[in-house]
């Protein structure tokens, strides 16, 4: 298993290196406009950015909005999912609204959020909450369909009420699906946060750093910042995946390792 993962990691690194080499070659032979810096220049700028206090502060500002928004989304979506998944009347009443709101792209709501919130940091957090709520909510609902009915009936036979059944049986059984929803949400938080920062750079962030670099005609730095955003997103996904495998190993064993 370890050798398999190392092999996959090596292939991933090889693919990234090949992409960088092709991008450098395309710039050298004139396949891209001269105004676009070569990949080597972008990588050199990316190597310098962590040494700059301002860039580190911008990264922390983006991560703070992502973390706070994700925490709020989980605190809202999991109880809402439990309510919808255990009370059929509420589920039938709210499901049309969920299906209507869920497909709306978060980026299209940036102007609305900027109008509603005086501080761009608040608008950024609100949009992260909106974006993260849906995968967590939907995966919670999906996880509740995987709960063993016999376990719920057994608890009810001992006199436990709906709340106790939800907390003692439904929530633990749905936890692996909720974790998957959180991992999916983590993958899109950076996209939303950086998009807001590009349009409203006043409160800092990776997007604000890009805007300032573009205004200064430093395209190498402007392109280097998204590389770090991608690395941060990749690292977060790997960490969550590893934690999910470890914490919910029992669920993977039950499903034959497919979950």
């Amino acid at each position: 298993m370890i050798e398999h993962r190392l092999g996959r990691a090596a292939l991933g690194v090889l693919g990234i290196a090949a992409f960088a080499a092709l991008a450098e070659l395309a710039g050298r032979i004139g396949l891209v406009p001269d105004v676009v810096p070569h990949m080597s220049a972008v990588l050199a700028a990316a190597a310098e950015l962590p040494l700059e206090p301002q860039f580190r502060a911008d990264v922390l500002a983006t991560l703070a909005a992502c973390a706070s928004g994700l925490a709020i989304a989980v605190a809202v979506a999991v109880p809402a999912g439990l309510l919808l998944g255990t009370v059929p009347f509420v589920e039938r009443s709210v499901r049309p609204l969920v299906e209507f709101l869920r497909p709306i792209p978060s980026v299209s709501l940036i102007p609305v959020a900027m109008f509603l919130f005086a501080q761009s940091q608040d608008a950024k957090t609100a949009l992260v909450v909106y974006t993260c709520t849906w995968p967590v909510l939907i995966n919670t609902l999906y996880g509740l369909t995987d709960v063993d009915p016999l376990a719920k009936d057994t608890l009810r036979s001992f006199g436990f009420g709906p709340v106790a059944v939800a907390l003692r049986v439904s929530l633990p059984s749905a936890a692996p699906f909720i974790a998957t929803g959180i991992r999916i949400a983590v993958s899109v938080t950076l996209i939303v946060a950086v998009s807001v920062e590009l349009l409203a750079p006043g409160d800092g962030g990776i997007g604000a750093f890009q805007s300032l670099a573009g205004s200064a005609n430093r395209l190498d730095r402007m392109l280097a910042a998204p590389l770090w955003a991608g690395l941060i997103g990749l690292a977060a996904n790997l960490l969550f995946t590893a934690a999910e495998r470890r914490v919910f190993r029992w669920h993977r064993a039950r499903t034959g390792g497919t979950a």
Side-chain angles (χ1 to χ4, degrees):
M1 180 64 70
I2 295 178
E3 292 79 2
H4 176 67
R5 292 178 184 173
L6 290 176
R8 290 183 60 183
L11 288 176
V13 172
L14 181 61
I16 293 174
F19 172 79
L22 288 174
E24 179 72 14
L25 178 63
R28 295 291 181 182
I29 64 178
L31 291 180
V32 296
D34 293 335
V35 68
V36 179
H38 293 158
M39 178 58 72
S40 56
V42 174
L43 293 177
E48 297 173 355
L49 290 184
L51 304 177
E52 301 181 12
Q54 183 57 53
F55 181 72
R56 294 199 298 269
D58 286 329
V59 170
L60 288 177
T62 299
L63 293 181
C66 292
S68 59
L70 178 62
I72 295 172
V74 172
V76 171
V78 173
L82 285 173
L83 179 63
L84 295 177
T86 55
V87 183
F89 171 76
V90 176
E91 194 274 339
R92 289 193 297 268
S93 301
V94 178
R95 173 70 77 166
L97 179 62
V98 171
E99 296 301 331
F100 171 75
L101 293 175
R102 186 164 61 96
I104 297 177
S106 302
V107 178
S108 68
L109 297 177
I110 291 178
V112 179
M114 297 303 300
F115 177 77
L116 293 176
F117 298 93
Q119 300 294 327
S120 60
Q121 186 74 12
D122 296 335
K124 180 167 50 177
T125 302
L127 283 173
V128 170
V129 171
Y130 177 85
T131 304
C132 295
T133 294
W134 305 119
V136 178
L137 176 62
I138 298 304
N139 275 271
T140 302
L141 291 173
Y142 183 74
L144 291 175
T145 64
D146 193 57
V147 179
D148 184 4
L150 180 60
K152 294 193 291 186
D153 292 339
T154 301
L155 216 60
R156 292 192 190 103
S157 68
F158 283 98
F160 288 91
V163 176
V165 172
L167 295 179
R168 292 172 178 264
V169 176
S170 299
L171 183 59
S173 296
F177 298 90
I178 296 173
T180 300
I182 295 174
R183 176 164 54 83
I184 295 172
V186 168
S187 302
V188 297
T189 52
L190 278 172
I191 298 174
V192 176
V194 173
S195 298
V196 177
E197 292 163 356
L198 283 168
L199 297 178
D203 290 330
I206 296 175
F209 181 90
Q210 283 187 267
S211 295
L212 292 176
S215 300
N217 202 29
R218 288 297 307 273
L219 298 185
D220 55 340
R221 292 165 62 84
M222 186 181 73
L223 295 175
L227 294 183
W228 279 107
L231 287 174
I232 292 170
L234 176 62
N237 185 70
L238 291 175
L239 287 174
F240 270 83
T241 301
E244 193 178 346
R245 286 198 182 111
R246 177 176 291 273
V247 174
F248 300 111
R249 186 177 300 170
W250 57 269
H251 184 258
R252 292 175 57 83
R254 194 188 74 179
T255 57
T258 59

